[in-house]
Amino acid sequence: MQLTLLGTGNVQGAPVYGCDCTACQRAMDEPKWQRNLCSAVLSVAGQQLLIDANHPALMQRFAAGTINAILLTHFHMDHVHALFSLRWGLAPTIPVYRPDDPQGCDDLYKHPGLLAFQPPNQLGAPFRVANLPELTITPVALNHSRPCQGYVFEYESNQQRDCLAYLTDTQGLPDATWQKLIQCAPRAVVIDCSYSPLVNNSNHNNLSQVIEFARRLPDSLWVLTHISHELDSFLLREAQLQLPPNIKVGLDDMVV
Amino acid sequence: MQLTLLGTGNVQGAPVYGCDCTACQRAMDEPKWQRNLCSAVLSVAGQQLLIDANHPALMQRFAAGTINAILLTHFHMDHVHALFSLRWGLAPTIPVYRPDDPQGCDDLYKHPGLLAFQPPNQLGAPFRVANLPELTITPVALNHSRPCQGYVFEYESNQQRDCLAYLTDTQGLPDATWQKLIQCAPRAVVIDCSYSPLVNNSNHNNLSQVIEFARRLPDSLWVLTHISHELDSFLLREAQLQLPPNIKVGLDDMVV
């Protein structure tokens, strides 16, 4: 089971349009520091499950028929905008799993095209997707300004047992989500870490919070995502700062 | 005054995701036949006015500070989706002219970022944008499934008089719009021509209608835009079809 980060940026991405801070300059000079909007793809047993849909070249990167399902964290535009093009493809229907958000985004529910919206996920209730009997997906609660959920992936076959968690967008982590993490002990947790310790935001974590999370679950690797240029600038400025060994700053195309 | 077509495709673009029709095959083989979603940029007296905002690389193509205004035809997602990224740039404010659509699209009005939405345009009432005293812009009525308007651009200086019209999305053309076209005799009209004569659609023109328009205003060049793969396939199949000399099939990056 492999999780590839397709984008690790916050709503502004990196470089931020018009910004010349040190982090944005670096992103212009060294493409590996560019950050697309936050999304990922889980590859398991020859299937590909997209988590959020916002990659700038989604339809070039994933040929028709190669996305087996889409799992949405929430319906903010920066997480779903690629669905507006994708829906009009002449390609096999794609099941879309989603939080309980009656509005969705703009007219997606009204004109779904090839998107097959499934009944809303129930928090904490595991489900399976077609052709992947070995994979259990549990939607878990997050704290955000609109209905939002993370996903815990548990894969079990004769050969292998593996668990990964993808938790963004969120500020803090609800107790029920902690309980699930403690129960399944993920190999890695991809976590919203939008800001440096200097910024407190009501919708997104900062680095101090994530360091605390990583202390609480020390055997998991904590991979930062949804990163703002403010956090990247902080990390550049505080280059001597030693992050705990189980924390890793995410980069686009990183494989977890 | 130059109008560059940034995109000439309908909501599906070309090639259509997952389609292997002759037109989509050609678009894959020969990039000049690829069609981005429909938008354009008017360049005049060193200023750039964007018409709709959906180019896949808008922020790479137009550096911060180089878009002097945005003119929206309407708030369907395929015409405005790039605004959702653009708004969070750290760049000078951009005035956005728009039809009278109280909803707008998703949360654009609520969180405009650097977009300065102007009071809704009044149909038929000319206006000017900053630093362009020689340019008169007249919003004109179109027929579409939500409030939608075209733009007539009249430029007049000591050296030059020029007029261009940009009319999409529409089915037919309202009388008041015809009166404006007849009065100002545009050098060129960029026109919604989504479909072949075989398709009648309540929101978009087909080729038969546009041929009739071009007969009615024979001294203007009529440039087709918002083209579907259905129309491209038809034109490929009917290669012997002679379009009237004042009709031209638009291509991305064509300059009018």
Side-chain angles (χ1 to χ4, degrees), chain B residues 63-79:
Chain B
T66 66
I67 301 171
N68 301 97
I70 298 174
L71 310 174
L72 298 180
T73 61
H74 64 305
F75 281 93
H76 273 152
M77 188 63 77
D78 57 317
H79 289 254

Side-chain angles (χ1 to χ4, degrees), chain B residues 221-234:
Chain B
L221 176 67
W222 290 74
V223 180
L224 315 188
T225 194
H226 209 274
I227 294 169
S228 69
H229 69 147
E230 190 273 336
L231 174 57
D232 268 336
S233 295
F234 173 87

